[in-house]
Amino acid sequence: MNLFWKNFLGGITSTDKFEQEMAKLGDDMRHYAKTEQSVELAEYNELAHVVNTSEFQQKKKTLKNRKYRDTEEYRDRRKFEALNKKADIRKYYEILHSPELKEFLAFMKTPEAQQLNSAPTENDPDKLKRLRQYSSSKAYKEYTRLNDSYIIKEYEKLKERVSSEEFKQADQFWSDKNRWQSTPEYKQEERFKELAKNPDIAFFLREKPERFNALRSLSRSFIDEFDWNVLSKSNWNFGFHYGNKELVSDHSYTNEQQANNSGKNISVVNGKLHVATRKEQVRTRAWDPAKGFVEKDFDYTSDIMQSAEKFRQQYGIFQAKLRCTGKINHAFWLGCDNKQPLIKIFHFDGKTLRMGRTDENGTDETNVTGLNFSKFHVYTLIWTENELVWMINNLVVNRISTHIPKEEMYLAFNSFITQSQTPQEGLLEVDWVRVYEDRPNPSETLATDKDENN
């Protein structure tokens, strides 16, 4: 697979942009999850169930558009004011509260009231004369005409109503053209609008949570950002790994042109792992298939490091951001106690990148060219029960669905020079390594990673 044109035409996202997108996806997921649990969103949702109902909107429409003259309060007040201006009603209440009527009504409750119906005489007391005269007066007749009448009952009823605190409040409310702004519903709607403008809630509402589906179940199981300076204090060991612990792991091969240098060529420089291949003469132990271990002189040194004793995993996502220089072999791979199976996540042979797996069934891999391997890229293996998928940044470059390894495997990095290559110096640089597994863990999800772009 030649990636030149894909890269040239923008088919591969740049490494910086890819890391930014990964970081943003994690940030967005954290942001979404935090907002989802927020008090503000809970309040917004509660208000949404109120404000967006037809009942609420209809009430708002009524309160805003209803005219004061169409209200009962307006009609009752106007009717009361009209009755209050009527001369006969005003006169009635003057008579009602007059001392003459009070005296007369009090007298009518006494036994002497029967004397009013007797024929008048010159010897009648002045009071009886006065009350008899009042009983036939125009004022008393007006009183008897209106007392306990419908119009007075209506007036009294209206007077009581318009004098009540409840009526005064209702009348004041309906007479206010800006009455809607004084309602609890208005406050609810304004709060709803305010919350809708909240940046966190606005983000939450426009976000598509299915964008995070691939991340939700992933938890970080291994990370190295190379903040150590001594290999013994890291999660790595130098040398090869064998299931039989009696086998010597720190050795080289006679059919290679570099000596594995017992970790001396492994260092961390400015937060990046360096596996350096250098031109220097050493005499060291090397494995010869026919003779076993022999002493051999080498003109170049390099190294290998692996996590076999510290970390292994079956299935998951395995990533490293790396680059290499020198037309020799540089590799990032997964191994096990035996030589096979072996998964090549990144194997640059000086010309071509190889990505695939090797086992007792043979080798199944794809070759990649057309990419500048001296620049950082993120190389990813997605390993599931049914599939192996290789990616460079955002681009899938290989997919295998047969003979999927079923055992835990460790991580390894190394550089080496084959017999057929022209020996030269080289450098494998690794900015970071991350591994995820499909096991939710609230404290260590993929979305909690803080990616820093370099």
Side-chain angles (χ1 to χ4, degrees), residues 242-453:
Y242 299 107
N244 185 347
K245 296 187 181 299
E246 295 183 0
L247 294 178
V248 177
S249 61
D250 183 22
H251 64 82
S252 305
Y253 287 105
T254 56
N255 62 350
E256 292 179 353
Q257 298 189 65
Q258 93 296 330
N260 294 323
N261 207 18
S262 303
K264 298 181 183 67
N265 291 41
I266 297 171
S267 62
V268 171
V269 180
N270 296 325
K272 295 178 178 61
L273 171 71
H274 283 196
V275 180
T277 301
R278 296 191 284 260
K279 182 174 176 55
E280 58 180 343
Q281 293 183 342
V282 297
R283 183 175 181 82
T284 188
R285 176 175 48 223
W287 176 258
D288 186 300
K291 301 177 182 178
F293 283 117
V294 298
E295 291 293 312
K296 180 181 176 180
D297 293 318
F298 290 91
D299 293 327
Y300 286 82
T301 61
S302 191
D303 248 310
I304 178 172
M305 74 175 205
Q306 37 74 21
S307 68
E309 300 298 329
K310 307 291 181 66
F311 175 79
R312 302 183 187 209
Q313 184 171 300
Q314 179 187 16
Y315 307 137
I317 297 178
F318 301 77
Q319 287 184 319
K321 178 185 175 184
L322 57 85
R323 65 184 177 186
C324 60
T325 55
K327 293 184 178 181
I328 57 176
N329 288 268
H330 304 284
F332 167 39
W333 47 279
L334 303 184
C336 58
D337 286 343
N338 299 313
K339 288 186 177 182
Q340 297 176 355
L342 182 144
I343 301 177
K344 301 174 185 177
I345 301 177
F346 170 92
H347 178 189
F348 178 68
D349 66 4
K351 296 179 180 179
T352 302
L353 172 63
R354 304 177 184 277
M355 308 177 86
R357 62 113 181 92
T358 298
D359 58 23
E360 59 185 7
N361 300 291
T363 297
D364 189 348
E365 63 184 18
T366 190
N367 296 334
V368 178
T369 59
L371 198 65
N372 187 346
F373 299 105
S374 66
K375 292 186 176 181
F376 277 113
H377 294 90
V378 177
Y379 298 90
T380 301
L381 170 73
I382 303 174
W383 175 16
T384 69
E385 187 177 355
N386 302 310
E387 192 175 40
L388 293 169
V389 179
W390 286 261
M391 298 178 65
I392 302 176
N393 290 356
N394 64 312
L395 184 68
V396 174
V397 295
N398 193 19
R399 190 185 297 268
I400 295 175
S401 57
T402 59
H403 306 301
I404 307 301
K406 304 295 183 184
E407 58 193 284
E408 291 185 338
M409 303 182 77
Y410 59 82
L411 290 71
F413 292 94
N414 71 317
S415 297
F416 60 98
I417 308 170
T418 64
Q419 291 284 16
S420 61
Q421 289 180 315
T422 300
Q424 59 180 276
E425 294 189 326
L427 179 65
L428 172 62
E429 290 182 82
V430 186
D431 193 358
W432 50 257
V433 182
R434 297 183 186 126
V435 183
Y436 303 93
E437 61 182 339
D438 190 12
R439 186 185 65 190
N441 180 340
S443 63
E444 292 291 338
T445 64
L446 177 59
T448 62
D449 283 340
K450 294 285 188 180
D451 293 328
E452 296 180 357
N453 302 314

